[in-house]
Amino acid sequence: MEYRKLGETDLSVSAITFGAWAAGGWMWGGNDDQAAIEAMKAAYDLGITTIDTAPIYGQGKSEELVGQAIKGIPRDKVQILTKYGMRWDTTQGTFGFKSKDNDGHDLDVYKFAGKDSIIKECEDSLKRLGTDYIDLYQIHWPDASTPIAETMEAIIRLQEQGKVREAGVSNYNVQQMQEAEQTIKLASNQVPFSMVKRDIEQDVIPYCIENHKSILAYSPMERGLLTGKMKPGQQFGEGDHRAGLKFFKDENIRRTNAFLEKIKPLADEKNATLGQLVIRWTIEHPGITVALVGARNAEQATQNAKAIEVKLSTDEIDFINKQLNELQLVD
């Protein structure tokens, strides 16, 4: 495995990080708890020492499973990344969206990052994770109802108490990062980035490179689209959020698969899967520190970890980018 420093901090993380959203089951059509725990353990055994989770993933469930998976591992050998600012148990803040929990009950999600709320959230996360500190604490989504300075002051307090090591943001634009930086030193921004979703190349990536901030790329496989296993007419289970996304329109699946066919010979040449090639391309991209990749079972986690063994030359990356620049998705 390769390890990289987050921003200008002393915190090192694995270049491939375990993304534990699907582990919570929520918005992924459920999950198997034991398989999720085994996936995290298998990832750790192959050098993926960093796990990213959030309270909203399964309304605490993902964090609890992470806590079970890391039990027995020396705390300084694993890096726990979690988030705050998405509440399902209060109506404070900015209304986010309607959802359903894992039992099918209606759920209203609010973006709220008030000071007292964050302090409470942190305590709850520490309990679920079974630890006394969080390595990287990230605001999950911007909250228009709370001044950014107030939010970041709460994180400074948690740092002073030793409950949080480093501060990060998620889904922040450049202006929001700049505002946060007036109060606190940020390590990173966690944002969506994949071969078919590259809008952050315009602003967030240049800003982060210039200001020595890390980027944690989430959904680098575009929720399974870039594995090459999806086919037009793909059916998703009840509660699976992918059903309504443009990436999974039949025409876009067709176009993406045509692109993947062009780069498949390169994957074959390296005895790699398409997914492994995609992960390696992601962490080779300028400005990207980490690729967050989920796995539902130990076999998937093992496949993801082995992406680190794939080596790409400059010419090979140029070849992939050339094919990619010809890919146009429909809205």
Side-chain angles (χ1 to χ4, degrees):
M1 187 50 60
E2 294 168 20
Y3 301 90
R4 299 174 174 181
K5 293 273 189 197
L6 267 195
E8 295 179 307
T9 74
D10 291 331
L11 181 59
S12 281
V13 293
S14 49
I16 299 171
T17 284
F18 192 101
W21 177 11
W26 176 69
M27 293 180 78
W28 287 90
N31 81 318
D32 179 317
D33 290 4
Q34 196 51 43
I37 291 169
E38 285 166 8
M40 288 183 246
K41 288 183 170 178
Y44 178 81
D45 288 342
L46 289 166
I48 296 179
T49 59
T50 312
I51 303 177
D52 178 83
T53 182
I56 192 66
Y57 301 158
Q59 295 70 61
K61 186 173 188 180
S62 174
E63 286 188 329
E64 287 169 0
L65 294 178
V66 170
Q68 291 174 50
I70 64 169
K71 222 171 190 171
I73 298 172
R75 182 63 185 84
D76 63 344
K77 301 293 184 201
V78 64
Q79 300 83 47
I80 299 173
L81 286 41
T82 194
K83 308 181 191 78
Y84 61 89
M86 287 188 86
R87 298 284 299 268
W88 62 92
D89 52 350
T90 179
T91 55
Q92 290 175 282
T94 312
F95 176 74
F97 55 93
K98 287 190 171 296
S99 182
K100 289 186 184 294
D101 66 17
N102 285 340
D103 296 321
H105 300 129
D106 288 338
L107 204 66
D108 286 347
V109 179
Y110 285 80
K111 299 169 185 174
F112 184 51
K115 205 170 200 173
D116 293 342
S117 177
I118 295 169
I119 303 297
K120 177 198 184 307
E121 279 204 76
C122 185
E123 292 302 329
D124 291 346
S125 287
L126 290 171
K127 283 195 193 86
R128 287 190 289 258
L129 291 160
T131 185
D132 55 3
Y133 71 93
I134 292 159
D135 293 282
L136 180 71
Y137 206 31
Q138 310 155 95
I139 182 167
H140 205 148
W141 281 90
D143 164 29
S145 71
T146 308
I148 288 176
E150 177 187 331
T151 297
M152 298 305 152
E153 281 163 12
I155 306 307
I156 289 173
R157 187 197 296 181
L158 291 168
Q159 286 178 318
E160 289 167 351
Q161 295 170 350
K163 292 172 182 174
V164 167
R165 281 182 69 187
E166 302 297 342
V169 294
S170 183
N171 301 300
Y172 260 36
N173 61 30
V174 168
Q175 187 184 348
Q176 289 160 337
M177 288 185 77
Q178 288 172 324
E179 192 174 334
E181 282 268 311
Q182 291 172 17
T183 305
I184 201 168
K185 189 172 176 68
L186 295 176
S188 57
N189 190 0
Q190 182 176 149
V191 280
F193 176 76
S194 74
M195 284 180 163
V196 293
K197 186 174 173 56
R198 295 163 57 189
D199 49 320
I200 62 166
E201 289 176 344
Q202 305 305 313
D203 48 10
V204 174
I205 287 180
Y207 174 81
C208 287
I209 290 173
E210 187 182 340
N211 293 278
H212 312 293
K213 307 298 170 195
S214 282
I215 292 178
L216 284 62
Y218 73 78
S219 300
M221 305 297 300
E222 206 49 70
R223 300 163 169 87
L225 177 68
L226 292 166
T227 60
K229 293 173 184 170
M230 301 248 170
K231 299 287 178 277
Q234 179 78 32
Q235 295 296 309
F236 294 103
E238 193 179 338
D240 193 316
H241 72 287
R242 292 176 291 183
L245 296 179
K246 78 163 191 177
F247 299 104
F248 300 98
K249 287 182 175 178
D250 285 354
E251 181 58 26
N252 285 338
I253 292 176
R254 258 192 293 275
R255 292 183 183 198
T256 303
N257 284 348
F259 154 72
L260 293 171
E261 278 302 313
K262 292 179 190 169
I263 65 169
K264 191 173 187 305
L266 182 58
D268 292 343
E269 191 186 307
K270 295 178 181 295
N271 291 319
T273 64
L274 276 168
Q276 288 166 338
L277 189 68
V278 170
I279 294 169
R280 185 80 233 194
W281 176 89
T282 305
I283 59 174
E284 289 293 339
H285 194 288
I288 304 296
T289 308
V290 159
L292 294 166
V293 193
R296 285 181 176 272
N297 53 51
E299 186 188 346
Q300 286 179 3
T302 300
Q303 290 294 315
N304 293 342
K306 289 189 172 173
I308 209 71
E309 296 168 11
V310 177
K311 302 298 179 214
L312 289 174
S313 68
T314 307
D315 286 349
E316 288 166 338
I317 291 171
D318 288 346
F319 166 75
I320 293 171
N321 289 340
K322 183 173 178 293
Q323 309 308 316
L324 199 48
N325 291 336
E326 292 171 9
L327 170 62
Q328 298 291 328
L329 298 188
V330 298
D331 286 326

